[in-house]
Amino acid sequence: MIWIDSDGGVDDALAIAVACKIVSGHKIAFSTVFGNVSARQAAHNIRTLLHRLGVDAPILVGAERASDGFAQSATDIHGLDGLGNVIGEVRPDEQFDSLSESIESPLERARWLNEDVHILSIGPATNIPSIARMLGAERISGITMMTGAIFDKGNITEDAEFNAYNDPIALANILHSGIPITIVPLDICRKLIFRREDLTSLSTFGAAAPMLSEAHKFYMASYEQAEGISGCFPHDTIALLSMLYPSKFNFWRIPFDVDSSTDHRGQLRFDINGAYHARFCLGGDLRWVRQFMRSWSILASSRELRHALQMGARNWLDLGRDPWRACTRTSAGRRHSDRTVRTAGGPDPGIDLPQHP
């Protein structure tokens, strides 16, 4: 099963649409967190998107503030509704299931414990420690997180990326969990641009296409002012693709620290003696990714996709390059468990992704 934790913005919507198309027929669940918009607005956005995609999946509303009570929105970038003001704000009387109630209820917890889960975190990390406790670390094959900037500058402050800035404490907590974690930082996201001329490719998403297209026009206008580009960085889709198609990306295991101080909140600071180690996605076959984003239609039918799905399932936790392995510390809490590293050709749990005919 794939569990996507989202803060309901435009790039989230594209990643969710792509995920639903790639893993069609496979179990998928969603939770929402504050960030681009409120957690309730994010749930409304996902519910609307899934309806237009013809997908039925559970949506659980999670945290509205960070572990320390902090909250920073991005409605100036994503619109008041998080989708370029295309679908409108959530009604006060709209009902959603609660993540916290699911965590507390034994019956609710039981419904998630039938299979292994890989978590895709594309918002602040606030919900992730709670989800991990609910599912149990032994059932989580890995967590892929769009968060942070390790060598590049931030996008919310000079030091910090938006998701890491919103809850560095929760990020640090999950990094201590021993669960295999891959971080997809701004460093790689800024290498890939979804351009205005590529908007026509969204037609592959059927009834959801007009909503996605109009939302992206608003988002791209924000990026033109903020970044000076004619398009946008599809952060969350890059995180999704690195999770499903790891053979197309390069990964580096890096030691670092997470700063939760007032002056440098959310900064991921490279440190050879850092308290944390994670697999960072920093490059890969970016030409393939660009072609992928220009022709989403290959998702449904191509031989290349079938091969990619099969390879993705077999190589889910493949760490790729590991230049810092000799420097990692082995004391508890200062590195991931040994199950995050496997030798070439070794076994890998992955998930059993469907094959398209």
Side-chain angles (χ1 to χ4, degrees), residues 315-331:
N315 294 288
W316 198 284
L317 298 180
D318 183 0
L319 279 179
R321 297 177 177 85
D322 189 11
W324 306 109
R325 186 174 180 183
C327 304
T328 57
R329 296 172 182 262
T330 57
S331 57

Side-chain angles (χ1 to χ4, degrees), residues 1-30:
M1 184 178 83
I2 296 175
W3 186 306
I4 299 180
D5 188 66
S6 163
D7 59 347
V10 178
D11 55 331
D12 300 68
L14 180 58
I16 290 168
V18 174
C20 289
K21 201 168 183 70
I22 292 177
V23 299
S24 176
H26 196 83
K27 191 172 182 180
I28 189 167
F30 298 91

Side-chain angles (χ1 to χ4, degrees), residues 283-304:
D285 187 354
L286 302 188
R287 180 175 180 271
W288 178 86
V289 179
R290 293 184 184 101
Q291 290 176 330
F292 199 102
M293 294 192 299
R294 294 189 188 110
S295 182
W296 303 108
S297 61
I298 69 170
L299 296 176
S301 60
S302 77
R303 180 178 300 177
E304 182 180 11

Side-chain angles (χ1 to χ4, degrees), residues 136-258:
E138 70 281 359
R139 291 194 174 273
I140 301 174
S141 60
I143 303 174
T144 298
M145 310 183 77
M146 192 283 117
T147 191
I150 189 66
F151 299 120
D152 208 348
K153 69 174 185 177
N155 63 356
I156 186 68
T157 69
E158 188 68 21
D159 298 321
E161 178 274 335
F162 180 81
N163 290 338
Y165 179 75
N166 258 307
D167 202 339
I169 297 172
L171 176 58
N173 285 343
I174 198 61
L175 286 165
H176 270 308
S177 68
I179 298 169
I181 291 176
T182 299
I183 290 178
V184 181
L186 284 180
D187 306 56
I188 185 172
C189 296
R190 285 181 167 137
K191 296 178 181 180
L192 294 157
I193 299 175
F194 184 54
R195 302 184 183 279
R196 286 185 179 274
E197 54 264 35
D198 298 328
L199 287 174
T200 56
S201 69
L202 296 176
S203 62
T204 193
F205 298 111
M211 179 181 77
L212 290 170
S213 180
E214 291 304 310
H216 273 85
K217 289 176 183 176
F218 182 98
Y219 192 47
M220 289 174 177
S222 300
Y223 263 86
E224 190 166 4
Q225 291 183 346
E227 299 277 356
I229 61 173
S230 181
C232 62
F233 302 131
H235 313 87
D236 299 338
T237 298
I238 297 168
L240 172 74
L241 294 178
S242 75
M243 183 179 81
L244 293 178
Y245 304 129
S247 63
K248 298 293 185 181
F249 293 86
N250 294 335
F251 300 92
W252 298 78
R253 187 170 185 158
I254 296 175
F256 65 103
D257 284 317
V258 179

